[in-house]
Amino acid sequence: MWVMQDQAASSGYRPGAPEFSDFLDRFTSPSEAPKVSVESLPDPSEKKLAKLRKKLEAIETLKERRERGEKLEANQLAKIEKEGELLEEIKILNELQKLFIIR
């Protein structure tokens, strides 16, 4: 009996499992294809902008802490120095959205 189970496992056969063709038909049938519109897809630039804004908020918090006299770590100071780069990237993404995204 163990030999038969080992052979079945190595062949990929599983009793009661659907055949691959049934699986393939399910996803190639136009009537069952998922309905996705371009409008429903997330905008990658919006996601990127949200991440950049979050980084800017963290930088503002670090700047406030520095102004209060707290001593910041080297990596925190490096984040503050990258503020200009982040602002430039946000500006570029906003311009690209104006040019290419029709809403």
Side-chain angles (χ1 to χ4, degrees), residues 2-93:
W2 293 105
V3 173
M4 290 172 42
Q5 287 178 343
D6 290 341
Q7 288 174 345
S10 65
S11 70
Y13 173 76
R14 293 183 315 185
E19 293 294 320
F20 180 72
S21 60
D22 295 336
F23 177 79
L24 188 60
D25 288 343
R26 194 174 103 207
F27 288 102
T28 56
S29 169
S31 63
E32 294 187 25
K35 306 289 187 271
V36 178
S37 67
V38 174
E39 292 82 23
S40 69
L41 295 174
D43 182 2
S45 61
E46 283 296 327
K47 189 173 182 179
K48 179 73 174 172
L49 279 169
K51 286 182 181 181
L52 292 172
R53 288 184 184 117
K54 188 173 181 178
K55 286 181 181 184
L56 280 177
E57 289 174 11
I59 288 173
E60 288 301 318
T61 302
L62 289 173
K63 287 168 58 176
E64 289 170 4
R65 288 177 52 196
R66 184 177 61 181
E67 288 173 5
R68 288 194 306 259
E70 288 185 42
K71 181 157 175 55
L72 300 179
E73 301 290 327
N75 64 332
Q76 294 170 322
L77 293 172
K79 284 181 185 179
I80 293 173
E81 290 176 11
K82 291 186 179 185
E83 181 180 24
E85 294 173 27
L86 294 175
L87 290 170
E88 185 64 28
E89 196 170 347
I90 288 173
K91 180 180 173 184
I92 291 169
L93 282 173

